[in-house]
Amino acid sequence: MDSLVRFHDQHPQEEAGSLCEELLEGLTATPKCTSPKFFYDRRGSELFDAICEQPEYYPTRTEQAILRAAAADIAEVVGRDATLIELGSGASRKVRLLLEAMHPACYLGVDISRDFLLESTRRLAVDYPWLEVHAACADFTRPMAWPEGLAGERPVAFFPGSSIGNFTPEEAEGFLKGLARLLPAGGGLLVGVDLIKDRAILDAAYNDAAGVTAAFNLNLLQRLRHEFEAEVEPQGFRHRAFYNESASRIEMHLVSLYDQAIRVAGERVEFDAGESLHTESSYKYSIAGFRELAGRAGFEPRAHWTDRDSLFCIHYLERVV
Ligand code: AVI
């Protein structure tokens, strides 16, 4: 085993069959939809990283700038010696901006992608030799328990990137309620949330000029071909993303360019010309709106940090019992 990282394997059993069922359920629904989780095969994850580098896609660099500028302040509010738990830790890049200032008793990275998780937590352990590093391979969107043997008494979850925006508000509330159950009174949540703003900024962020977001969206069809025996021509679809103001969300769609039938896992799925497959929603919140949602889930707002242009917000919420 690894001497630098304590690894906890909580990965659910192979679920290819149920993934396929879930996919077909969405493809045969009206209107057609798929969960954003289907974006993230290897290529999809690379394309998402590339999206974060696009000049129009402000969330990543804005959140990083807030973390950099507010790290000392955040540490003061959150306190030292917490058990810092990063949900969907991926490359564990953003948490680096907090570690020195927060000096947690231990760090736990939680991610579903085992190899990626091990690689990035190992790097963290090398770069921060004073830090006790744990890694849990788990699907944190499902009920889970913190692994045994974590140092520190006050768990603080870190959920950056506005990933919470890819849940519907009802799902987000359910997710936060589940998280609240895992936190004792005084435990906390540091969460990055994209703010409601001028639609031109939002529309541009999801329609970058280099076409990376379009490639990310269309890559879903390639994944269906490789992993779900789909017969589908990606050239038969186009990327569409727009801000739906009444629902406070960006919607991403793949729009069929003509009448066509595709096949997924042996099932025939028909598209009319112009019909769309809704592939992702990215909800945006006001500061007050997100606080209300978190309040319904058992959290109380303690502090928040935003950028000068009010593009993005990091909330610190405490578990109240
Ligand atoms: C991962 N998530 C927060 C991104 C977002 O902005 O909703 C995914 C994304 N989709 C298109 N661009 C980025």
Side-chain angles (χ1 to χ4, degrees):
M1 244 0 280
D2 203 299
S3 54
L4 290 175
V5 175
R6 283 171 234 187
F7 180 62
H8 312 268
D9 200 350
Q10 306 181 340
H11 194 277
Q13 286 309 300
E14 199 36 71
E15 51 169 0
S18 61
L19 269 182
C20 198
E21 261 174 41
E22 184 183 339
L23 191 60
L24 283 171
E25 199 180 306
L27 286 169
T28 51
T30 313
K32 295 178 172 61
C33 60
T34 48
S35 159
K37 74 179 173 198
F38 289 105
F39 283 135
Y40 299 96
D41 62 354
R42 194 176 186 88
R43 180 73 186 132
S45 300
E46 284 167 6
L47 285 165
F48 177 64
D49 281 350
I51 287 175
C52 296
E53 302 292 320
Q54 298 311 301
E56 299 91 337
Y57 193 75
Y58 61 85
T60 312
R61 64 169 182 278
T62 309
E63 184 179 44
Q64 283 171 351
I66 298 171
L67 286 171
R68 219 171 276 124
D73 214 21
I74 294 174
E76 205 177 309
V77 176
V78 176
R80 284 166 75 96
D81 297 320
T83 304
L84 187 61
I85 302 167
E86 186 173 14
L87 303 173
S89 53
S92 303
R93 239 176 259 135
K94 288 178 187 160
V95 77
R96 286 171 179 261
L97 301 169
L98 288 177
L99 287 175
E100 293 292 353
M102 270 186 70
H103 212 283
C106 105
Y107 167 83
L108 166 69
V110 184
D111 206 287
I112 195 140
S113 164
R114 191 176 192 277
D115 293 344
F116 198 30
L117 172 73
L118 280 175
E119 205 181 292
S120 47
T121 46
R122 255 182 217 137
R123 255 184 275 124
L124 209 63
V126 169
D127 294 346
Y128 298 87
W130 50 267
L131 184 64
E132 179 181 310
V133 178
H134 293 249
C137 179
D139 180 352
F140 64 85
T141 64
R142 297 184 179 186
M144 66 172 288
W146 305 140
E148 298 282 308
L150 303 177
E153 269 154 32
R154 210 164 32 84
V156 172
F158 179 47
F159 192 32
S162 201
S163 297
I164 197 147
N166 294 132
F167 296 135
T168 64
E170 297 71 31
E171 288 166 348
E173 194 178 320
F175 169 73
L176 291 183
K177 279 184 177 149
L179 190 57
R181 266 180 239 120
L182 292 175
L183 296 172
L189 168 65
L190 201 52
V191 56
V193 182
D194 200 9
L195 290 169
I196 293 173
K197 60 183 66 65
D198 191 297
R199 71 171 313 136
I201 299 174
L202 287 163
D203 284 342
Y206 293 81
N207 290 284
D208 59 274
V212 184
T213 307
F216 171 74
N217 198 7
L218 284 158
N219 180 63
L220 173 78
L221 301 176
Q222 295 290 4
R223 182 171 186 202
L224 298 192
R225 284 163 66 103
H226 298 142
E227 287 182 43
F228 297 92
E229 296 162 35
E231 292 165 29
V232 54
E233 294 305 328
Q235 310 89 277
F237 291 82
R238 73 174 172 86
H239 162 76
R240 177 166 187 242
F242 61 93
Y243 185 54
N244 175 339
E245 202 158 348
S246 59
S248 304
R249 68 186 189 204
I250 284 281
E251 291 184 17
M252 290 223 305
H253 295 259
L254 287 168
V255 182
S256 180
L257 295 177
Y258 37 77
D259 291 347
Q260 58 178 314
I262 68 167
R263 254 179 201 287
V264 179
E267 292 266 345
R268 185 182 154 91
V269 180
E270 288 182 1
F271 281 86
D272 294 332
E275 187 179 351
S276 84
L277 169 63
H278 186 169
T279 52
E280 184 182 63
S281 290
S282 190
Y283 284 83
K284 313 299 169 188
Y285 292 91
S286 65
I287 293 171
F290 189 77
R291 284 178 159 198
E292 265 169 43
L293 186 149
R296 291 195 295 275
F299 287 95
E300 231 170 50
R302 286 284 177 262
H304 69 272
W305 298 269
T306 180
D307 55 293
R308 212 180 32 196
D309 301 319
S310 295
L311 296 175
F312 199 92
C313 184
I314 296 172
H315 294 261
Y316 183 59
L317 310 156
E318 224 166 71
R319 169 81 174 111
V320 281
V321 189

